[in-house]
Amino acid sequence: MARLKSILICGSGVAAWFMAAGLSRALEGQGCRITVLDDGATEDSACLGRAVLSLPALRAFHGVLGLSEDQMIKAARVWPYTALNMGTYHIGIGDHGARLNTVAFHHFVTWLRQGGHKADIDTFSIPALMASAGKFTRPVNDPNSVLSGFSYGLVLDVGRYSDLLRTYAVSRGVDVAEGRLTKVDGSGAQIASVHRDQGAPLAADFYIDATGEPARLMSAVEVPFEVDLYLNANRILPALPHDTGVPMMSAGCQMLPVMGGVISDEAATNGDGRAFVQGRRAQFWVSNVVAAGHAAGVLQPFMGHELQLLHTGFTRLIGLFPDDGMSPVLAREYNRLMTQTFDRVRDFVLLPQVLRGQAEGPPELARKISQFKSRGRVVMYDEESYSESFWVSVLMGEGVLPERYDRIIDSMEPERLTQQLIKMRDIMARAVSAMPPLKAVPVTSGVPA
Amino acid sequence: MSKNSDEKIKRIVIVGGGTAGWIAAAGLSSLYKSDDLSIRLVESEAIGTVGVGEATVPHIRHFNVKLGIDERDFMQKTSATFKLGIEFCDWNRKGQSYVHPFGAYGEPVGGVGFHHHWVRMRKRGDTRSIDDFSLPVKMSHMARFMMPSSDMRAVESTFSYAYQFDAGLYAAYLRAYAEARGVVRTEGRITGVNQNAETGFVEAVVLESGEVVEGDLFIDASGFRGLLIEQTLKSGYEAWGHWLPCDRAWAVPCEATAANTPYTRATARDAGWQWRIPLQHRVGNGYVFSSGLLSEDAARTTLMANLEGPAQAEPKMLSFTTGVRKQQWNKNVVAIGLASGFLEPLESTSIHLIQLAVTNLVEMLPDMRFCDDDRDEFNRVMHLEYERVRDFLILHYHATERDDTPFWDYCRTMTIPDSLAYKMALFRERGVIVNYKDGFFLEPSWLAVYIGQGVIPRDYDPLSERISDQALARYMADYAGKVSSAVQAMPSHAAFLEQYCPSAIVSRRATVGAV
Ligand SMILES: Cc1cc2nc3c(=O)[nH]c(=O)nc-3n(C[C@H](O)[C@H](O)[C@H](O)COP(=O)(O)OP(=O)(O)OC[C@H]3O[C@@H](n4cnc5c(N)ncnc54)[C@H](O)[C@@H]3O)c2cc1C
């Protein structure tokens, strides 16, 4: 069995260049030729909106590429954020309060509320407080500091981010093939070659389908698209931006501040704009082709899943990297992992809609909601992309107050506990008020990677 | 709005005072004040406990920390030794052995797991064993011990450890802990169970003396018999004997003849396997076998012929059916320990599963409404844990070249669950190890057993080749060197025990040494 000698990425936009950039770095020195053939699409292959959020984990990807935040700020109109403003609450990137006596913090909020106190979980979240006060600072490494339990992501301008990745990939020797994709030869269950409007057909050992929703390679090998049964939005329209300093999401409208303005897109179920269908491929890897971005699946914008899914897909592909034997065992594992990953992300996107009674949910999500409602338990499955605190923010933010808190609390001294919680809240508030304003950050700081 | 206080359960009754019962009593009493939740434990000395269960996995340390147990005190009073892993002898082939260590092999290089690099060098003709890159394996071979370093960069931080202790002393230790926190123990044989005529919920257990012990929630820790969960509630049993065919064990303690080894040994025998668990004051032994393929007498003879020192008691026989209770939580009864199911002690998992059940019960603690949600979630989580341990155990039997007895021939050729088959295929193909969120055997454990039992990847992660042969060879030589000098610098396990936590029981080692 021999190593892959060539990879052909079909498509353009973020999905294509993300994979090209990542592979060019991961396969460095392996003598594997990476080529990108543009499919001529006018819409991005991974992001529906014109701006997109990244989650902290993506920093690891940029770190591996050697892209510093400084470079990103210059090139991609990047803006850091610590929470997504949901109108009446925030989804912060980080913990709420602190565990006491092994009990997760949100139980104390339930306890306070049952005791007649007003307790808003946002006021126990540093990243949420930062967002509502328009403050920003980077987290510190000392686990004893209140400033250690949060992180931040970036707001990215999709077009510019894609260009940045493209420049990177090309500078590392990724070839850009002349011409546009016209036809895909799928012989048997694998891709044999890809035709273009000029020059000879291109053949490679391995293919990546980054052609967006048409998924031209996946379609050629007849992998069906499974429409999501629960998510209904099918249009994305440019909307009027509000003046917002932090990312905001309200009634399907996402307003993302990038340097120099706010980009606003609205997901809707009718109207003009860009049409899309939410769902995913039945498989993500068959034989010699892997799907990335919308070719793999489409979900309406929410909190950074676009790049998160690309990143997870990329990391898994590297972990299961094939040779020219194209063992079905590797593809099968990739599909198992990515199917679960995708479905759990879908659950998260769906969660606010289900809680508002706008949509139904699958049994896994129903269990998550009923366990939380009943006793504040956050059920976590394999291959979750969003950690517990994200789920808790949305559940409590949407007004689910667990019927019961963890009973261990009843064995704690109530007076002292109340004081302790008030103190915790004060420390957090003070820490945030001492921070510099968000607007000052990208312009003034040297911003390390 | 309803409040917690409206519907709280006030009385928990634990049925059984074996390891499971006392773990539950200790765990619960450490978290709930006795005036908020009263805990009673009923046990019968006449019936007794199984009296085995002496080797553990490292998770027990987290449990002890949560209880605030002082390690030295604990080890002294339970006559415990340290455990760095399990040595498996004759499993893949007769005459071959390997250690499943509590710790890593090497460290990832260039983002690629160490074992891929090892497979690559092996294909290039390097004959070094992967053991050379595992500190806990080397420590086991040389019977050394030292506490792991907290400096994550040091090679001395690359292992964890568990304990080997006296089961009776362990239960006694936990009993003292629980009683000090208000758990009330009642001695007596349970002869009757009162159920609610309508719901079938258990309302009380009735003792031989006529005493009635009422409760809101019952924990069935009554051992194999499953007094409440099965005899009363008929919850059903999912048997796994076709994958794990052993159904009997003879157990016997013997005198120690050599210095304590910091690991448990599992030696494959004709129709099962024999354990050896070294404690400070004695050695626990047992032969786990399949009664369909070996008579009880013959098994007993084999065990007695394979003891390193004089037996300290008559061997005791235990029978079991491997599998799991269909509902570990049914109505207001939660089964833990042997009452909840049985997986043979090949990887010392039972005590861990008991602690996990207690942790999950705390997480899902019901109130008087006993909503199905609490029960279903507990059952879902625990069933998954049982299945994942089961698959790992099956691997030990199935990945073998042995065909010398009908037992091994069966195991080698049996059909295994899909959930395991695909994992093995992935490893064989390309050294990929499947990880789950739950499931407590992590990468190094799978790696140890795969490689130890001859499942060697055909190929490695191609990204390994980003590192040149020379650079890799240098790295590996360097790492192996660090492992070996770290071990050299450590005291012997026996010496470490002697100064750290000498057993409270009078040691017999001095006299044994003279024999
Ligand atoms: C051969 C063998 C080897 C093992 N090795 C290990 C190992 O190395 N590591 C490990 O982690 N686990 C091991 N285990 C498992 C471990 O021994 C058990 O998980 C552990 O001892 C818990 O047992 P238990 O408390 O559930 O049951 P038991 O010890 O059987 O206790 C049952 C209790 O219920 C009481 N009882 C029962 N009926 C009545 C009644 N009618 N009235 C009043 N009281 C009653 C009894 O008196 C007793 O107190 C092993 C098991 C076996 C069989």
Side-chain angles (χ1 to χ4, degrees):
Chain A
M1 264 168 277
R3 301 291 174 231
L4 297 187
K5 299 236 164 19
S6 56
I7 298 178
L8 179 63
I9 300 172
C10 295
S12 58
V14 169
W17 294 111
F18 191 101
M19 296 305 281
L23 289 171
S24 72
R25 180 78 179 95
L27 301 179
E28 205 168 56
Q30 299 252 53
C32 179
R33 193 185 173 98
I34 302 166
T35 308
V36 177
L37 175 64
D38 199 328
D39 65 342
T42 52
E43 285 161 340
D44 189 72
S45 52
C47 307
L48 291 170
R50 291 164 297 152
V52 69
L53 298 174
S54 75
L55 292 166
L58 198 67
R59 280 214 293 273
F61 182 73
H62 295 143
V64 169
L65 298 189
L67 282 176
S68 72
E69 248 171 53
D70 251 353
Q71 278 170 288
M72 308 222 15
I73 285 167
K74 286 205 195 86
R77 304 208 297 177
V78 162
W79 198 257
Y81 75 101
T82 57
L84 176 64
N85 180 339
M86 293 289 287
T88 53
Y89 64 96
H90 288 83
I91 310 174
I93 306 179
D95 302 337
H96 301 106
R99 249 173 211 277
L100 300 171
N101 279 18
T102 79
V103 178
F105 181 78
H106 62 271
H107 288 288
F108 295 98
V109 173
T110 309
W111 177 75
L112 283 170
R113 296 259 203 106
Q114 284 196 9
H117 295 268
K118 277 214 188 75
D120 176 357
I121 190 150
D122 266 16
T123 63
F124 291 95
S125 158
I126 292 267
L129 289 169
M130 285 165 76
S132 54
K135 303 278 194 162
F136 185 77
T137 189
R138 292 190 164 68
V140 300
N141 231 335
D142 172 9
N144 293 319
S145 162
V146 273
L147 298 184
S148 67
F150 74 97
S151 190
Y152 66 97
L154 302 173
V155 190
L156 301 162
D157 176 313
V158 170
R160 291 183 182 223
Y161 182 55
S162 169
D163 289 346
L164 174 72
L165 294 171
R166 178 185 170 126
T167 308
Y168 176 92
V170 170
S171 79
R172 300 189 70 88
V174 170
D175 288 330
V176 181
E178 295 288 314
R180 295 262 154 108
L181 185 153
T182 53
K183 190 168 102 45
V184 180
D185 259 355
S187 73
Q190 60 167 11
I191 306 284
S193 65
V194 173
H195 297 258
R196 48 183 169 159
D197 62 2
Q198 52 177 284
L202 298 172
D205 290 342
F206 197 65
Y207 297 83
I208 290 175
D209 187 346
T211 62
E213 291 185 77
R216 301 182 60 179
L217 280 65
M218 295 311 273
S219 309
V221 290
E222 292 173 9
V223 178
F225 180 81
E226 296 181 342
V227 176
D228 192 83
L229 298 174
Y230 309 101
L231 286 163
N232 301 316
N234 57 14
R235 288 280 187 286
I236 190 110
L237 332 157
L240 270 189
H242 293 251
D243 183 22
T244 174
V246 295
M248 207 171 143
M249 177 98 202
S250 115
C253 186
Q254 176 156 291
M255 285 153 279
L256 303 181
V258 292
M259 272 224 275
V262 175
I263 293 180
S264 184
D265 296 289
E266 184 179 352
T269 44
N270 50 39
D272 311 327
R274 174 177 178 180
F276 61 85
V277 181
Q278 305 199 56
R280 60 162 170 80
R281 292 286 140 190
Q283 287 150 298
F284 301 95
W285 174 352
V286 283
S287 171
N288 61 349
V289 54
V290 160
H294 289 154
V298 182
L299 292 170
Q300 68 189 82
F302 187 31
M303 199 175 177
H305 57 72
E306 299 88 342
L307 303 180
Q308 182 72 19
L309 284 167
L310 265 177
H311 186 202
T312 308
F314 170 77
T315 311
R316 298 263 165 71
L317 178 61
I318 294 301
L320 296 164
F321 205 71
D323 52 33
D324 69 354
M326 288 305 144
S327 158
V329 174
L330 299 174
R332 180 176 154 191
E333 176 66 355
Y334 184 85
N335 289 325
R336 183 185 74 82
L337 292 167
M338 289 308 289
T339 301
Q340 290 185 26
T341 305
F342 195 96
D343 289 354
R344 296 294 78 76
V345 167
R346 186 271 323 275
D347 291 353
F348 186 65
V349 174
L350 189 58
L351 179 64
Q353 303 182 29
V354 172
L355 294 174
R356 289 170 196 171
Q358 297 161 348
E360 302 273 301
E364 290 85 355
L365 183 58
R367 178 187 293 132
K368 231 175 202 156
I369 294 171
S370 75
Q371 282 288 318
F372 193 81
K373 264 193 182 137
S374 161
R375 59 178 316 130
R377 171 173 167 80
V378 186
V379 176
M380 295 295 280
Y381 302 103
D382 288 332
E383 315 312 331
E384 296 270 14
S385 298
Y386 294 91
S387 60
E388 258 185 61
S389 72
F390 286 85
W391 298 91
V392 170
S393 293
V394 177
L395 285 157
M396 284 205 152
E398 295 291 338
V400 179
L401 186 67
E403 284 162 29
R404 293 170 289 174
Y405 53 81
D406 191 319
R407 243 193 100 157
I408 292 171
I409 297 177
D410 286 341
S411 293
M412 298 167 79
E413 223 289 279
E415 289 296 307
R416 251 190 60 203
L417 180 57
T418 311
Q419 292 313 314
Q420 214 176 341
L421 295 171
I422 290 172
K423 199 171 137 207
M424 193 190 282
R425 185 165 59 190
D426 289 348
I427 290 175
M428 291 182 154
R430 270 205 303 278
V432 171
S433 74
M435 290 177 187
L438 169 67
K439 301 260 181 200
V441 172
V443 205
T444 57
S445 90
V447 200
Chain B
M1 189 174 68
S2 77
K3 291 189 181 178
N4 276 37
S5 46
D6 303 343
E7 308 272 3
K8 282 164 76 163
I9 55 165
K10 303 210 166 54
R11 301 164 302 178
I12 293 184
V13 175
I14 299 170
V15 172
T19 303
W22 286 115
I23 285 177
L28 297 174
S29 67
S30 77
L31 293 171
Y32 306 108
K33 277 198 192 143
S34 55
D35 54 2
D36 186 47
L37 184 59
S38 87
I39 302 170
R40 250 182 109 165
L41 184 146
V42 183
E43 67 172 318
S44 156
E45 255 158 40
I47 293 174
T49 67
V50 290
V52 284
E54 313 207 302
T56 60
V57 291
H59 304 64
I60 190 173
R61 284 164 51 212
H62 302 300
F63 191 81
N64 283 1
V65 167
K66 276 199 261 174
L67 262 55
I69 286 177
D70 175 72
E71 182 174 74
R72 296 172 84 145
D73 179 62
F74 170 76
M75 291 185 72
Q76 269 174 357
K77 292 190 176 140
T78 57
S79 199
T81 55
F82 290 101
K83 175 179 172 188
L84 293 164
I86 304 174
E87 182 186 34
F88 290 94
C89 301
D90 302 338
W91 283 78
N92 180 33
R93 235 184 277 159
K94 272 192 168 171
Q96 223 177 45
S97 71
Y98 69 96
V99 174
H100 163 198
F102 298 140
Y105 292 91
E107 55 193 358
V109 188
V112 174
F114 178 81
H115 67 280
H116 290 287
H117 299 301
W118 177 77
V119 172
R120 171 176 155 208
M121 293 314 257
R122 194 181 135 98
K123 289 186 117 181
R124 307 253 201 291
D126 188 338
T127 54
R128 268 176 305 179
S129 156
I130 198 164
D131 290 351
D132 292 356
F133 307 95
S134 164
L135 183 62
V137 171
K138 289 289 162 192
M139 287 165 72
S140 301
H141 287 163
M142 297 180 63
R144 302 285 174 99
F145 189 82
M146 205 174 81
M147 287 293 169
S149 161
S150 55
D151 175 1
M152 297 308 282
R153 287 158 311 178
V155 74
E156 288 86 353
S157 72
T158 58
F159 68 97
S160 183
Y161 65 87
Y163 311 111
Q164 303 166 126
F165 51 56
D166 182 289
L169 297 176
Y170 180 56
Y173 191 90
L174 293 175
R175 173 176 165 184
Y177 178 99
E179 287 185 328
R181 281 160 188 76
V183 173
V184 176
R185 172 183 177 275
T186 303
E187 159 65 34
R189 182 195 287 265
I190 295 168
T191 49
V193 178
N194 295 347
Q195 285 175 272
N196 183 293
E198 222 169 279
T199 62
F201 274 49
V202 173
E203 292 178 331
V205 289
V206 185
L207 309 190
E208 209 166 24
S209 64
E211 189 184 354
V212 175
V213 180
E214 293 182 333
D216 302 324
L217 174 71
F218 288 80
I219 294 179
D220 186 349
S222 65
F224 286 125
R225 54 186 71 70
L227 191 72
L228 302 178
I229 198 75
E230 194 55 50
Q231 293 183 1
T232 307
L233 296 179
K234 314 264 181 289
S235 302
Y237 200 75
E238 186 176 323
W240 291 332
H242 48 303
W243 288 314
L244 294 166
C246 291
D247 59 357
R248 297 275 191 288
W250 282 106
V252 67
C254 76
E255 282 177 23
T257 52
N260 294 312
T261 51
Y263 54 85
T264 297
R265 180 178 295 141
T267 307
R269 299 248 176 263
D270 287 353
W273 60 281
Q274 180 173 337
W275 80 74
R276 172 188 184 272
I277 304 174
L279 314 181
Q280 286 194 45
H281 62 300
R282 64 167 167 82
V283 173
N285 309 275
Y287 185 3
V288 178
F289 64 101
S290 168
S291 64
L293 295 168
L294 187 73
S295 74
E296 289 170 4
D297 283 351
R300 180 189 158 119
T301 309
T302 303
L303 175 65
M304 298 310 278
N306 284 289
L307 298 181
E308 66 200 72
Q312 292 180 324
E314 277 299 301
K316 183 175 164 185
M317 215 215 31
L318 301 147
S319 350
F320 47 81
T321 309
T322 296
V324 64
R325 203 64 69 193
K326 280 187 180 145
Q327 296 183 79
Q328 300 185 44
W329 176 338
N330 188 2
K331 301 189 193 288
N332 62 339
V333 173
V334 177
I336 62 169
L338 299 172
S340 69
F342 185 73
L343 287 164
E344 59 184 84
L346 192 51
E347 286 282 353
S348 323
T349 44
S350 291
I351 291 174
H352 170 67
L353 285 169
I354 296 169
Q355 290 170 350
L356 203 66
V358 173
T359 306
N360 280 317
L361 176 59
V362 166
E363 181 92 341
M364 262 72 89
L365 196 79
D367 57 26
M368 292 308 290
R369 296 172 305 165
F370 281 92
C371 36
D372 294 352
D373 267 359
D374 298 336
R375 178 199 65 197
D376 294 349
E377 181 65 1
F378 180 92
N379 285 336
R380 180 183 76 86
V381 173
M382 288 307 297
H383 201 270
L384 202 59
E385 292 285 350
Y386 260 86
E387 273 179 352
R388 288 179 175 173
V389 173
R390 175 201 71 192
D391 283 1
F392 189 54
L393 298 187
I394 296 173
L395 173 65
H396 295 68
Y397 284 103
H398 185 62
T400 182
E401 291 172 18
R402 288 189 62 164
D403 54 7
D404 51 312
T405 66
F407 178 83
W408 289 104
D409 217 33
Y410 173 81
C411 293
R412 191 175 50 82
T413 55
M414 70 185 165
T415 315
I416 57 173
D418 278 349
S419 47
L420 174 62
Y422 95 89
K423 287 193 189 88
M424 289 181 71
L426 263 171
F427 190 79
R428 237 187 216 118
E429 185 83 34
R430 255 284 302 286
V432 176
I433 299 167
V434 178
N435 269 324
Y436 291 114
K437 183 181 95 52
D438 301 308
F440 67 92
F441 288 107
L442 304 179
E443 252 188 62
S445 295
W446 287 88
L447 187 59
V449 178
Y450 280 138
I451 291 186
Q453 301 209 188
V455 184
I456 306 291
R458 267 198 285 277
D459 200 1
Y460 52 89
D461 187 334
L463 300 183
S464 159
E465 285 165 14
R466 286 195 303 185
I467 294 150
S468 71
D469 281 4
Q470 298 90 315
L472 189 56
R474 222 173 318 123
Y475 167 83
M476 287 173 67
D478 183 52
Y479 194 90
K482 277 197 286 189
V483 166
S484 110
S485 47
V487 181
Q488 294 297 343
M490 291 181 184
S492 76
H493 177 229
F496 190 92
L497 287 173
E498 191 60 46
Q499 58 83 25
Y500 187 75
C501 55
S503 168
I505 298 176
V506 182
S507 167
R508 297 189 187 188
R509 244 174 298 133
T511 46
V512 170
V515 175

